[in-house]
Amino acid sequence: MNAPSSAAMTDARIKWFNDTGIGDIASVGGKNASLGELSQALGSAGVRVPEGFATTADAYRAFLAHNGLEPRVREQIDRYRGGGATLRQAGAAIRELFLGAEFPADIDALVREHYRLLSGRSGQPQVSVAVRSSATAEDLPDASFAGQQETFLNVSGERAVLEACRRCYASLFTDRAISYREMKGYGHLDVALSVGIQRMVRSDIGASGVMFSIDTESGFPDAVLISAAWGLGETVVQGTINPDKYQVFKPLLRDERFTPVIARETGAKERKMVYSQGGSALTRIVDTTREEQAALVLSDAEVVQLARWAAAVEDHYGRPMDMEWAKDGGTGELFMVQARPETVQARRSSTVFRTYRLEGRGPVLAVGAAVGDGIASGPACVIRDAKDIESFVDGSVLVTRMTDPDWVPVMKRATGIVTDHGGPTSHAAIVSRELGVPAVVGTGNATGSLAHGAPVTLSCAEGEEGRVYGGLLEYSVDEVDMEELPATRTDVMINIGSPAAAFKWWRLPAAGVGLARMEFIISNLIRVHPMALVHPERVTDPGETALIRSLTAGYPDPREYFVDVLATGIAKIAAPFHPKPVIVRLSDFKSNEYSHLVGGGAFERPEENPMLGFRGASRYYSEEYREGFALECRALKKVREQIGFANVVVMVPFCRTVGEADRVIEAMAGHGLVRGEAGLKLYMMCEIPSNVVLADQFARRFDGFSIGSNDLTQLVLGVDRDSGQLAGLFDERDPAVSAMIAEAITKAHAAGIKIGICGQGPSNHPELAGFLVSRGIDSISLNPDTYLKALPVIADAEQRSAAQA
């Protein structure tokens, strides 16, 4: 970009972004300083920032002085503090003062001159610009003024730009901004306002959204979270629509071989903001088409590009960042249009781990995206319109369609927040996190399904899905400082089935995942029987056929749907523990469980005893399922070689004979999963007495064993583990079971392979850990909610074992 020739370009009251950096916050505010920093410092990383300029704090103060506003503003603030005026009255009076004021002639001329230059560089007589407020105390590490001042989009013409600047100045004294400064202790006249005037990206015919260089719910630092919608970005920021959501694993971005997208979710995207044609309004909201609603906004390549930018911005600033991006619909180019520090997770302790647990259950009244990980309860206060905001009752659960900055004063007084619209990066979600108030957003119908005044319990402690239950349910809160946890010789791992739950536990010092269950991903996320995706023509139920068509929409081949969803689900489980091992068990549904999947009835035959029937390894090489097994293998190969999680270990369950092990290993190799190639390790579940008796032979074929104490106990004692009548006999601590476990450990070590345990036993009976440690087991994998309690037990057992040696 050529430097401007006018001497006026160096005036202290106005600056080009390229002449501005992060050291200029006092002059141009956090937002504009950051845009300048991005323009100057990150071009080499490929980050594109639309050109623009900013009026400075000096210009704002000159505006105040020229119109004699300062004493008149103080008078209104004093009236409000003294009880002579309400917040609404004082704010309205101050804004009227600004809107009736005039710019000093020299500042007026400077803004016009810079706008003409920007238009010339853009090749347009009157370039369309975004006019954004940037408070000089904005986006500091301990406070976020996000959304409190106004932004005006699609502004063109000198007069319109100056009017938008005046309205930005006035927005420094919105009710919400006054309230926020009062809460934070900022002097109202100590905060000045800079205005950024930036060339508009044609995202009105393209797309836009926000992204964070940290997982905003769990605080997991190695993920980039991206939200995307069609049109201008205000719909995402304001939370008026449910956007697409993507997650990317940052450490693998450095390797060009990989596409580390670990989650994709298609949002409803019912509306979009576009430029207005004619009239006084500059933008308007229109409905999106069915095709737009069904399609993902971004390709994987675009998601990865944005994530690389997010990582570069974070590296430059040395802290997690909150960013906005836009895609030009004409050129297809991506741009970064804003970056500011993330202020919520950055303040949380990385060592103190707090868990919430519901102790009861009630009817589920609403479901949406969970914000935070807490639980709250109270009467529902349903407010559908901002004009009724003063009716809010302190300590209630606020239930509304959506929030904007005008709602912040009551959000601070709410015990929980529920909205009909919005996603994890909406205004309601961002403010809820900052306030530490749990929220469930994007429920679709909470204002209709929750009765005003009815007692409800809001839970964000059950993964990514937040639920609102009827009634005041009991719940508990546990807090552990992980710096005080003991170290152990035994690798203590965790069992996980839900990808959504994996991020919740990233702070645990686990040695990896000892058991990642495929079944949860297949039953809860994919929902369709694998063979129904291979042979959809064999599904005869019209309802199931329609559901399969709906679930696989956007995939040219329904089999790709299975591979993609399973691969990203496994990747999301693997990400928080990378590069530690994540042992993924191949599917181990029983025939009765498989038949409950969509389309499953066409492929499963009834069995008298499914627990001992067509399950585990026997399926993988059979004619009835081998094509479904091929999809499992393809997903695992994709996780390891395309997404990049080579820390994924594959484990074979319920392998009855040595010959069966050979057939499974051969089948896997035929699908590109060859033991030893690309570092692939194969494990076997040691859960059948034959596995123990012939452990030396199985050990020649596998790299490790994992004891499944549930099935091993069932088969050693001859007790159906699902039988209520025999529940008193089912005990993993029975001497016969203990003898089998001890023999398995001895034989595995004699063969030179590792052996752990992933069954329920150690989670249900911490004292079992003492026995396992005394036998020298290599790893113990626990359910996450028992990890913190069991770790000291394991450490004590190790000390006793060492003392007796």
Side-chain angles (χ1 to χ4, degrees):
M1 183 173 70
N2 295 327
S5 57
S6 171
M9 299 300 97
T10 60
D11 194 287
R13 290 163 294 181
I14 203 157
K15 292 184 178 182
W16 291 99
F17 288 157
N18 261 17
D19 297 326
T20 306
I22 203 64
D24 296 307
I25 288 178
S27 175
V28 297
K31 190 178 298 179
N32 289 332
S34 184
L35 285 170
E37 187 76 11
L38 293 175
S39 301
Q40 286 191 56
L42 289 161
S44 60
V47 178
R48 287 189 290 267
V49 180
E51 289 184 78
F53 61 92
T55 66
T56 69
D58 286 347
Y60 170 78
R61 293 191 175 97
F63 181 89
L64 290 182
H66 181 73
N67 293 280
L69 294 180
E70 187 168 333
R72 297 154 76 186
V73 170
R74 289 190 191 280
E75 179 185 351
Q76 293 298 329
I77 293 295
D78 289 343
R79 286 185 63 220
Y80 162 58
R81 288 175 173 169
T86 65
L87 173 62
R88 180 173 293 181
Q89 290 169 337
I94 295 171
R95 293 191 296 275
E96 283 300 314
L97 293 175
F98 276 86
L99 294 175
E102 295 293 333
F103 281 93
D106 55 346
I107 295 176
D108 182 291
L110 281 169
V111 172
R112 291 176 184 271
E113 183 176 1
H114 280 71
Y115 176 72
R116 288 194 295 268
L117 280 167
L118 183 62
S119 297
R121 292 174 188 166
S122 304
Q124 301 175 49
Q126 292 188 331
V127 66
S128 178
V129 294
V131 181
R132 302 180 188 274
S133 306
S134 180
T136 58
E138 183 177 41
D139 301 328
L140 296 178
D142 65 336
S144 173
F145 284 65
Q148 290 190 23
Q149 283 78 53
E150 297 292 347
T151 289
F152 302 96
L153 305 177
N154 190 28
V155 180
S156 61
E158 294 173 19
R159 285 185 60 188
V161 169
L162 281 162
E163 178 58 26
C165 290
R166 182 184 290 107
R167 291 169 70 187
C168 283
Y169 282 174
S171 74
L172 190 58
F173 288 91
T174 59
D175 297 352
R176 63 196 180 241
I178 294 171
S179 176
Y180 189 83
R181 287 193 297 271
E182 289 282 297
M183 178 180 72
K184 289 289 185 180
Y186 288 103
H188 294 283
L189 288 164
D190 294 335
V191 178
L193 194 95
S194 165
V195 180
I197 295 93
Q198 186 176 32
R199 177 174 64 83
M200 283 287 292
V201 177
R202 288 304 306 271
S203 57
D204 62 303
I205 56 173
S208 52
V210 302
M211 61 181 172
F212 292 84
S213 64
I214 189 172
D215 182 64
T216 52
E217 296 310 318
S218 67
F220 177 52
D222 284 338
V224 173
L225 176 65
I226 301 173
S227 294
W230 303 113
L232 301 170
E234 297 305 296
T235 56
V236 180
V237 175
Q238 294 172 2
T240 58
I241 55 100
N242 295 322
D244 291 348
K245 294 183 281 291
Y246 310 83
Q247 283 179 319
V248 184
F249 186 59
K250 280 190 297 194
L252 293 177
L253 286 169
R254 305 184 189 98
D255 195 322
E256 297 286 343
R257 296 174 300 166
F258 303 136
T259 303
V261 180
I262 60 175
R264 281 182 227 90
E265 183 180 330
T266 306
K269 308 183 296 289
E270 308 97 329
R271 294 172 297 280
K272 63 180 178 179
M273 181 181 284
V274 298
Y275 289 177
S276 186
Q277 304 296 323
S280 59
L282 302 176
T283 60
R284 61 194 176 103
I285 301 292
V286 299
D287 291 337
T288 50
T289 65
R290 287 186 178 179
E291 290 75 17
E292 287 174 320
Q293 292 170 18
L296 285 167
V297 169
L298 296 171
S299 68
D300 277 0
E302 289 170 329
V303 170
V304 168
Q305 180 179 341
L306 286 172
R308 287 198 171 110
W309 287 3
V313 172
E314 180 182 72
D315 287 345
H316 179 73
Y317 281 92
R319 58 172 298 127
M321 297 295 288
D322 168 1
M323 294 149 280
E324 296 180 25
W325 60 271
K327 179 182 177 180
D328 192 300
T331 66
E333 292 178 298
L334 293 168
F335 292 88
M336 185 91 75
V337 295
Q338 194 173 135
R340 53 183 168 252
E342 192 276 340
T343 59
V344 179
Q345 291 295 343
R347 294 200 302 263
R348 291 186 63 177
S349 167
S350 61
T351 62
V352 175
F353 191 81
R354 184 179 293 110
T355 59
Y356 293 78
R357 183 185 296 105
L358 273 178
E359 304 296 348
R361 282 290 184 272
V364 178
L365 306 180
V367 175
V371 178
D373 54 11
I375 298 174
S377 60
C381 188
V382 181
I383 304 177
R384 294 180 177 84
D385 196 293
K387 66 181 176 61
D388 301 318
I389 202 168
E390 292 183 356
S391 67
F392 179 77
V393 178
D394 288 5
S396 299
V397 174
L398 172 64
V399 183
T400 187
R401 291 191 175 97
M402 54 172 279
T403 68
D404 60 31
D406 287 326
W407 290 80
V408 173
V410 300
M411 294 172 77
K412 292 186 295 185
R413 293 149 43 202
T415 187
I417 296 166
V418 183
T419 69
D420 288 345
H421 307 297
T425 55
S426 64
H427 176 271
I430 291 171
V431 173
S432 295
R433 288 187 203 100
E434 180 165 340
L435 296 175
V437 177
V440 178
V441 301
T443 62
N445 65 344
T447 54
S449 61
L450 302 184
H452 182 76
V456 296
T457 298
L458 177 158
S459 173
C460 297
E462 300 164 81
E464 290 181 342
E465 186 178 79
R467 298 185 179 94
V468 182
Y469 297 93
L472 302 179
L473 305 181
E474 293 291 327
Y475 63 91
S476 59
V477 184
D478 294 323
E479 189 172 285
V480 175
D481 187 339
M482 283 176 292
E483 289 186 340
E484 298 176 0
L485 291 175
T488 61
R489 172 193 60 78
T490 310
D491 286 338
V492 185
M493 309 172 84
I494 60 173
N495 302 327
I496 289 185
S498 166
F503 276 29
K504 177 180 179 180
W505 305 104
W506 73 269
R507 285 185 172 88
L508 294 180
V513 176
L515 175 62
R517 303 179 185 90
M518 231 183 234
E519 293 82 18
F520 182 95
I521 301 171
I522 295 173
S523 62
N524 290 63
L525 303 182
I526 297 173
R527 299 172 57 194
V528 184
H529 193 291
M531 292 300 293
L533 297 170
V534 177
H535 292 291
E537 73 282 356
R538 289 172 56 182
V539 180
T540 57
D541 182 283
E544 290 189 325
T545 299
L547 182 53
I548 291 172
R549 193 179 300 118
S550 172
L551 290 170
T552 60
Y555 289 89
D557 184 330
R559 291 174 293 188
E560 297 305 316
Y561 164 73
F562 183 94
V563 172
D564 185 50
V565 177
L566 181 56
T568 52
I570 294 170
K572 191 165 182 182
I573 291 174
F577 306 97
H578 181 273
K580 298 171 184 175
V582 173
I583 303 170
V584 178
R585 186 178 68 188
L586 295 163
S587 66
D588 191 24
F589 283 119
K590 290 76 175 175
S591 56
N592 59 324
E593 296 168 334
Y594 259 126
S595 66
H596 292 152
L597 296 173
V598 177
F603 301 93
E604 298 296 329
R605 290 176 286 185
E607 292 184 287
E608 288 295 328
N609 190 350
M611 189 72 77
L612 295 180
F614 189 40
R615 61 174 287 198
S618 61
R619 282 186 171 262
Y620 308 150
Y621 56 86
S622 68
E623 284 300 315
E624 293 93 334
Y625 188 73
R626 61 180 179 80
E627 292 171 295
F629 181 61
L631 301 185
E632 294 184 30
C633 292
R634 283 180 54 196
L636 285 162
K637 188 173 176 65
K638 181 175 182 178
V639 170
R640 288 177 47 82
E641 299 178 17
Q642 294 181 36
I643 302 178
F645 288 100
N647 59 320
V648 164
V649 177
V650 181
M651 183 158 66
V652 179
F654 222 77
C655 187
R656 294 173 168 96
T657 69
V658 173
E660 188 166 67
D662 290 335
R663 296 187 72 175
V664 171
I665 291 169
E666 181 182 4
M668 292 177 67
H671 299 304
L673 292 176
V674 180
R675 180 188 176 196
E677 284 191 7
L680 175 63
K681 291 183 178 180
L682 296 184
Y683 275 42
M684 185 191 77
M685 290 288 292
C686 185
E687 56 189 341
I688 303 171
S690 63
N691 299 151
V692 179
V693 173
L694 299 178
D696 55 338
Q697 294 185 45
F698 282 110
R700 298 184 198 128
R701 291 157 173 84
F702 294 97
D703 299 292
F705 294 157
S706 185
I707 298 167
S709 59
N710 295 353
D711 274 326
L712 188 60
T713 301
Q714 171 179 241
L715 296 172
V716 168
L717 298 180
V719 175
D720 180 352
R721 74 190 209 197
D722 289 338
S723 171
Q725 289 176 299
L726 302 177
L729 295 174
F730 187 91
D731 191 343
E732 297 98 324
R733 298 163 295 179
D734 186 274
V737 180
S738 297
M740 293 295 277
I741 291 174
E743 183 178 347
I745 295 171
T746 299
K747 287 183 174 179
H749 287 163
I753 68 169
K754 289 191 173 185
I755 183 167
I757 187 168
C758 63
Q760 286 287 116
S763 295
N764 293 340
H765 310 292
E767 67 272 21
L768 182 58
F771 166 74
L772 295 168
V773 166
S774 70
R775 294 294 175 172
I777 199 162
D778 296 299
S779 64
I780 297 175
S781 194
L782 304 161
N783 295 337
D785 58 351
T786 63
Y787 180 97
L788 294 171
K789 293 179 181 177
L791 199 65
V793 175
I794 293 170
D796 288 343
E798 288 179 349
Q799 291 178 356
R800 289 196 303 272
S801 181
Q804 294 168 4

